[in-house]
Amino acid sequence: DTKGLFEFVEEEYPDLSKHNNHMAKVLTKELYGKLRDKQTSSGYTLDDVIQTGIDNPGHPFIMTVGCVAGDEESYEVFKDLLDPVISDRHGGYKPTDKHKTDLNFENLKGGDDLDPNYVLSSRVRTGRSIKGYTLPPHNSRGERRAIEKLSIEALTSLEGEFKGKYYPLKSMTDAEQEQLINDHFLFDKPVSPLLTCAGMARDWPDGRGIWHNDDKTFLVWVNEEDHLRVISMQKGGNMREVFRRFCVGLQKIEEIFKKHNHGFMWNEHLGYILTCPSNLGTGLRGGVHVKLPKLSTHAKFEEILTRLRLQKRGTGGVDTASVGGVFDISNADRLGSSEVEQVQLVVDGVKLMVEMEKKLEKGEAIDSMIPAQK
Amino acid sequence: LLKHVRNISRHRTFLNMIHSFSRILSSKRNIGILSLMGGSVAAGFLLQREHASAGSPLRRRYPASSEYPDLRQHNNCMASNLTPAIYAKLCDKTTPNGYTLDQAIQTGVDNPGHPFIKTVGMVAGDEESYEVFADLLDPIIKERHNGYDPCVMKHPTDLDSSKIHSGQFDDRYVLSSRVRTGRSIRGLSLPPACTRAERREVERVVVDALAGLKGDLTGRYYSLTQMTEKEQQQLIDDHFLFDKPVSPLLTCAGMARDWPDARGIWHNNEKTFLIWINEEDHTRVISMEKGGNMKRVFDRFCRGLKEVERLIQERGWEFMWNERLGYILTCPSNLGTGLRAGVHVKLPLLSKDPRFSKILDNLRLQKRGTGGVDTAAVGGVFDISNLDRLGQSEVQLVQTVVDGVNYLIECEKRLERGQDIKVPPPIKQFK
């Protein structure tokens, strides 16, 4: 009986019958057969791409992506899988669509007048991958250390409002660790199986660290889920200032990496290339912690958010519950619109929702304020 | 050739040849050549998956010194033995299946260890790992197996249970008796490295063979993916069901991939002979029953194992074994016999005696709580089993447990009568 030796697709194709994630919806047996013998030039395979989605069947309500990229080339070599996944995840984005990048903070209108009685804090984050290195699911210790070394060089050369310090995870002192925890800066070894099954926690904490400026308003995570996660934040509602610092800081960092011949991974179709397909495009999540106790219990709250192209989370992050009526409100889109456009939606949308909250406090109706779909 | 493809020696030679050939071709990234060969037998083999990964010679761009893991906070056998020189020597090697050193040591890098419990810190991805990475595995084996030197010593295998004497314990003290081991199917990669196809093949081969068991060994298979809720509950109640591994020692080695695909449990109708498929090893084989009849448990164990071996051999397969390391399993700690023979025994008085640990040491036994490794004892009931796995045969190890447990029970009885006990002289390790 030679059947077992030759019908490889049948034998290797994963059982996705109980799965509910974007990868499982797209990956037919035929598609698996077509892609299974391909690899990127760094040796990343289809099985590597999809392992996290096989090991995490998903949730009936939350649709995870179920696949990751191991390097920049993954998005090319495995296009036949990743393009439909990207389309499903990013509202119908087509393989021929072009993504606009706009990090010119002056193009943002307003954003400096969100009411601090309601808006407790403002934050913008994104990720960046460094060209010439493979991504966290795939990189070796040598590569990860090289990424760290280059990042330290780039970050420690920053000056002025960006002058700061790097804290490597494996050698920070107890006092430093305590401080970083109190500042809510310290990131932990990933425990989510979405990340661990993709191999992103290997060799922890080797090559990982946190850099932040002296003012504690600009923070970079090195070698967590992406090469770099860049975060600008401050208390209160001045999103404009947060976004300015974000754009200026990012551009300064990018210049330095470019000088070392390791610019950021980017192309005009997918924008900034990151590990998870959900973070392509801008990779940007701009958001606020805002008090909306009345609005959040209004029947139309979810619909308002959808129309404003915003999403809510609890203040502990994705998948946590809100506490005391305080919500984390941020942009829902990543790909197909620019940084300025996405932050504009947050600024305008939050402004509107705070006005709605105030109306509800006075016992007035808000129906006339409910916006059309943006 | 197709008709005889199950003949092991030709099959293995053919596979090895094809593996080398396909590796040469794919290293030139000449997929075009492969597609020219169409649907021939050779093409089928050539298209078999390559396990390229971080560290494979295809893409190493950093010197070994840049890749060498930081093991300064680590306390496991791998960390104790992996010098930069050994790392440099082995880091560009792969087994014929493409398994690398970085993969083998990943679990030890990710799990620095415990100050008191020294874990092994490394696994094998296939049978060849033990040869290709011998420069690291041999010293680890020697350390873990109390001085067994795989370079010069031979491991004895003996499954003749008739040689056991005094193997029936006092049922007032021994609540249950159990013998377990593991077996791997030669020619298929081990759980850290296997593809879904290989894992499914292990399941098919073993389940097929088990269907041939008769008499008191007649039983059935419960696939983890297809069992009903009712079957699942019964297996839980019988304490047979194994869960998806959560220990990072196992998950970091990749053993939980694709769960629960191709995993399952087989047991005989009498519930005294149980086989786990594709958990931490290809198979884990367990013989057990309530009470103290270790002799009968071991009889069934040996009989069942030999019968399963005969059935897979009929179909052209065999177990991984060699005279240097005995039975080949995923974790180096389970080499040799892979055997843990043990009892749940009531020793409330003896366990409070300060000489308890020393007595166990000298008898070459270890204690665990009844929940398994790393649990505490409840109500003075302990899990007592053999310490050693490699360098002594199954018969020798089970006799050691029999002699040792009989001695412990004697001690307990003496303490009950208010008599004193003696610490026995240490028994010889390698016989």
Side-chain angles (χ1 to χ4, degrees):
Chain A
D1 174 27
T2 58
K3 199 157 172 265
L5 290 171
F6 303 118
E7 285 181 68
F8 294 108
V9 177
E10 184 72 42
E11 293 294 315
E12 290 287 11
Y13 180 66
D15 179 354
L16 300 171
S17 53
K18 304 211 170 61
H19 288 59
N20 184 45
N21 56 53
H22 287 298
M23 179 279 292
K25 296 242 167 307
V26 171
L27 189 67
T28 59
K29 195 184 295 190
E30 292 65 43
L31 184 55
Y32 183 83
K34 186 177 173 192
L35 295 178
R36 65 180 302 270
D37 290 313
K38 293 186 193 290
Q39 5 177 305
T40 67
S41 43
S42 72
Y44 205 63
T45 65
L46 178 69
D47 281 340
D48 292 327
V49 170
I50 65 177
Q51 190 67 56
T52 180
I54 297 171
D55 290 343
N56 296 287
H59 194 274
F61 307 143
I62 302 165
M63 188 80 156
T64 45
V65 174
C67 52
V68 292
D71 49 23
E72 189 167 8
E73 222 185 311
S74 297
Y75 286 104
E76 265 312 302
V77 173
F78 305 111
K79 276 175 99 35
D80 291 336
L81 167 66
L82 292 173
D83 279 350
V85 166
I86 287 166
S87 177
D88 287 347
R89 178 60 179 220
H90 293 281
Y93 195 76
K94 297 193 290 298
T96 47
D97 284 338
K98 301 253 183 286
H99 171 81
K100 213 178 351 162
T101 292
D102 182 0
L103 281 161
N104 191 342
F105 68 91
E106 277 159 1
N107 291 339
L108 183 71
K109 300 192 198 36
D112 54 354
D113 60 351
L114 298 174
D115 188 338
N117 292 314
Y118 293 82
V119 179
L120 307 177
S121 61
S122 307
R123 181 184 187 266
V124 179
R125 70 87 159 149
T126 189
R128 289 290 184 263
S129 307
I130 303 168
K131 234 174 146 52
Y133 297 103
T134 62
L135 297 172
H138 190 38
N139 54 25
S140 68
R141 282 180 295 276
E143 274 188 297
R144 202 184 296 112
R145 289 163 178 171
I147 292 162
E148 185 191 31
K149 182 158 184 278
L150 192 53
S151 301
I152 292 172
E153 263 183 58
L155 295 167
T156 51
S157 70
L158 295 173
E159 286 163 357
E161 62 175 320
F162 297 109
K163 188 162 178 317
K165 187 179 162 187
Y166 182 70
Y167 303 85
L169 248 57
K170 70 175 169 179
S171 56
M172 64 176 60
T173 65
D174 280 351
E176 288 168 342
Q177 185 173 299
E178 195 58 39
Q179 188 58 56
L180 287 165
I181 291 173
N182 293 337
D183 291 327
H184 303 286
F185 283 177
L186 189 62
F187 60 89
D188 269 326
K189 178 170 174 172
V191 292
S192 165
L194 297 175
L195 300 186
T196 56
C197 293
M200 295 193 229
R202 286 171 303 126
D203 313 313
W204 203 274
D206 196 308
R208 275 85 168 190
I210 292 164
W211 177 95
H212 70 79
N213 67 352
D214 296 337
D215 294 336
K216 297 188 183 179
T217 53
F218 194 72
L219 164 69
V220 179
W221 290 351
V222 178
N223 285 321
E224 196 236 11
E225 183 183 333
D226 281 294
H227 287 169
L228 305 173
R229 282 288 177 99
V230 179
I231 302 153
S232 169
M233 63 218 251
Q234 67 191 56
K235 293 247 180 275
N238 195 345
M239 180 61 95
R240 188 181 182 78
E241 171 60 13
V242 168
F243 189 54
R244 181 205 64 79
R245 189 184 317 112
F246 176 82
C247 294
V248 172
L250 261 178
Q251 281 160 338
K252 284 195 190 302
I253 295 171
E254 182 160 21
E255 265 164 47
I256 303 172
F257 276 100
K258 274 196 186 138
K259 271 206 210 108
H260 285 88
N261 292 317
H262 282 286
F264 295 146
M265 289 183 199
W266 179 94
N267 68 52
E268 64 173 5
H269 167 51
L270 296 176
Y272 288 101
I273 302 297
L274 294 176
T275 301
C276 182
S278 69
N279 281 320
L280 291 166
T282 60
L284 185 143
R285 194 171 92 84
V288 299
H289 283 187
V290 57
K291 287 197 276 208
L292 300 170
K294 291 197 158 19
L295 182 61
S296 58
T297 54
H298 190 284
K300 292 250 164 70
F301 184 47
E302 298 285 345
E303 181 164 354
I304 291 167
L305 286 171
T306 306
R307 290 190 184 194
L308 292 173
R309 309 198 69 80
L310 299 176
Q311 62 171 209
K312 74 178 197 299
R313 301 179 182 190
T315 52
V318 67
D319 233 23
T320 61
S322 93
V323 176
V326 180
F327 285 83
D328 176 317
I329 304 288
S330 63
N331 54 298
D333 304 318
R334 304 269 183 275
L335 179 62
S337 52
S338 73
E339 289 80 354
V340 166
E341 284 166 348
Q342 288 167 8
V343 175
Q344 192 70 64
L345 284 169
V346 175
V347 158
D348 296 345
V350 170
K351 191 161 183 192
L352 178 63
M353 290 197 292
V354 168
E355 279 166 29
M356 288 177 167
E357 181 72 18
K358 288 174 174 172
K359 271 253 194 283
L360 290 170
E361 280 171 16
K362 291 196 286 222
E364 293 167 18
I366 55 163
D367 299 309
S368 57
M369 297 170 77
I370 293 176
Q373 177 66 53
K374 296 215 175 291
Chain B
L1 188 64
L2 292 181
K3 230 180 7 166
H4 294 289
V5 81
R6 287 278 186 248
N7 176 298
I8 289 299
S9 59
R10 274 206 257 171
H11 174 79
R12 292 279 301 149
T13 311
F14 189 37
L15 259 186
N16 284 336
M17 174 187 90
I18 292 303
H19 274 133
S20 318
F21 190 36
S22 74
R23 248 197 358 276
I24 292 167
L25 276 191
S26 63
S27 73
K28 292 181 181 166
R29 285 171 227 139
N30 249 325
I31 302 294
I33 292 182
L34 301 181
S35 62
L36 277 178
M37 299 176 91
S40 73
V41 168
F45 275 105
L46 289 167
L47 287 171
Q48 192 165 11
R49 275 210 69 243
E50 273 296 303
H51 297 251
S53 66
S56 79
L58 283 171
R59 64 178 280 254
R60 186 176 292 291
R61 294 162 51 200
Y62 295 86
S65 55
S66 298
E67 297 284 5
Y68 181 71
D70 182 348
L71 301 170
R72 290 172 295 173
Q73 316 280 7
H74 289 59
N75 182 43
N76 56 53
C77 296
M78 180 278 291
S80 302
N81 288 283
L82 184 63
T83 61
I86 293 179
Y87 184 81
K89 184 173 179 196
L90 299 179
C91 66
D92 285 321
K93 294 190 192 290
T94 69
T95 68
N97 297 311
Y99 197 66
T100 65
L101 179 71
D102 279 339
Q103 287 176 295
I105 65 173
Q106 190 67 60
T107 180
V109 174
D110 289 345
N111 295 288
H114 193 275
F116 307 144
I117 302 167
K118 196 163 187 185
T119 44
V120 175
M122 163 165 197
V123 293
D126 49 27
E127 188 166 9
E128 292 86 351
S129 296
Y130 286 104
E131 303 310 314
V132 174
F133 307 120
D135 287 329
L136 175 59
L137 278 161
D138 284 351
I140 287 176
I141 289 166
K142 191 166 178 195
E143 180 183 337
R144 179 59 181 223
H145 292 280
N146 306 308
Y148 180 85
D149 189 347
C151 298
V152 299
M153 291 161 83
K154 293 216 194 311
H155 170 80
T157 291
D158 185 356
L159 284 159
D160 180 359
S161 61
S162 67
K163 294 177 182 162
I164 299 295
H165 57 84
S166 318
Q168 209 150 341
F169 303 122
D170 189 332
D171 275 356
R172 290 171 297 171
Y173 294 85
V174 174
L175 306 177
S176 60
S177 308
R178 181 183 188 267
V179 180
R180 70 86 159 149
T181 188
R183 290 290 186 264
S184 309
I185 308 296
R186 176 161 280 161
L188 296 167
S189 301
L190 297 171
C194 63
T195 64
R196 280 180 295 279
E198 286 179 298
R199 201 185 294 111
R200 290 164 178 172
E201 185 77 342
V202 168
E203 185 188 36
R204 195 192 60 76
V205 168
V206 176
V207 170
D208 219 31
L210 294 172
L213 290 175
K214 298 186 175 33
D216 67 319
L217 296 178
T218 309
R220 68 163 275 208
Y221 181 63
Y222 301 85
S223 138
L224 247 57
T225 53
Q226 288 163 22
M227 66 174 61
T228 65
E229 295 238 340
K230 196 156 165 278
E231 287 167 344
Q232 185 173 301
Q233 193 53 54
Q234 186 60 55
L235 287 165
I236 290 173
D237 294 338
D238 290 328
H239 302 287
F240 284 176
L241 190 63
F242 60 88
D243 270 322
K244 178 171 175 173
V246 292
S247 165
L249 297 175
L250 301 185
T251 56
C252 293
M255 296 193 228
R257 287 171 303 128
D258 312 313
W259 202 274
D261 197 303
R263 272 83 168 193
I265 292 162
W266 181 98
H267 69 78
N268 66 349
N269 297 335
E270 299 181 8
K271 298 187 183 177
T272 53
F273 193 64
L274 163 70
I275 297 178
W276 290 352
I277 292 175
N278 285 319
E279 194 235 11
E280 185 183 334
D281 280 294
H282 283 173
T283 67
R284 282 288 178 95
V285 179
I286 302 154
S287 170
M288 64 221 248
E289 56 183 71
K290 292 250 181 273
N293 199 339
M294 179 60 91
K295 174 114 168 102
R296 187 165 62 201
V297 168
F298 189 51
D299 278 340
R300 187 186 316 114
F301 177 83
C302 295
R303 197 164 37 88
L305 266 176
K306 287 192 207 135
E307 189 56 12
V308 172
E309 184 162 25
R310 189 188 66 76
L311 288 162
I312 65 166
Q313 280 172 341
E314 251 176 23
R315 292 154 175 79
W317 297 90
E318 57 186 17
F319 292 143
M320 290 183 196
W321 179 94
N322 67 54
E323 62 175 6
R324 197 171 73 91
L325 299 174
Y327 287 101
I328 302 298
L329 294 176
T330 302
C331 182
S333 68
N334 282 320
L335 290 167
T337 60
L339 184 140
R340 194 171 92 85
V343 297
H344 284 187
V345 57
K346 288 196 274 207
L347 301 169
L349 297 176
L350 180 60
S351 58
K352 294 202 190 76
D353 192 294
R355 294 166 287 184
F356 185 42
S357 288
K358 186 78 176 123
I359 293 172
L360 288 174
D361 279 349
N362 286 2
L363 293 173
R364 301 206 68 77
L365 298 176
Q366 63 171 202
K367 74 180 196 296
R368 302 180 181 191
T370 52
V373 66
D374 234 24
T375 60
V378 175
V381 180
F382 285 82
D383 176 316
I384 303 289
S385 63
N386 51 298
L387 204 51
D388 304 309
R389 304 266 183 274
L390 176 62
Q392 292 186 71
S393 73
E394 291 81 353
V395 164
Q396 286 169 330
L397 291 175
V398 172
Q399 192 63 59
T400 297
V401 172
V402 164
D403 295 342
V405 170
N406 279 328
Y407 191 89
L408 295 174
I409 293 171
E410 259 320 295
C411 288
E412 185 71 18
K413 287 176 174 171
R414 290 178 72 87
L415 290 172
E416 281 171 15
R417 297 193 292 260
Q419 292 170 315
D420 196 20
I421 56 171
K422 272 214 303 250
V423 174
I427 63 178
K428 239 172 53 161
Q429 188 192 335
F430 298 123
K431 296 184 173 120

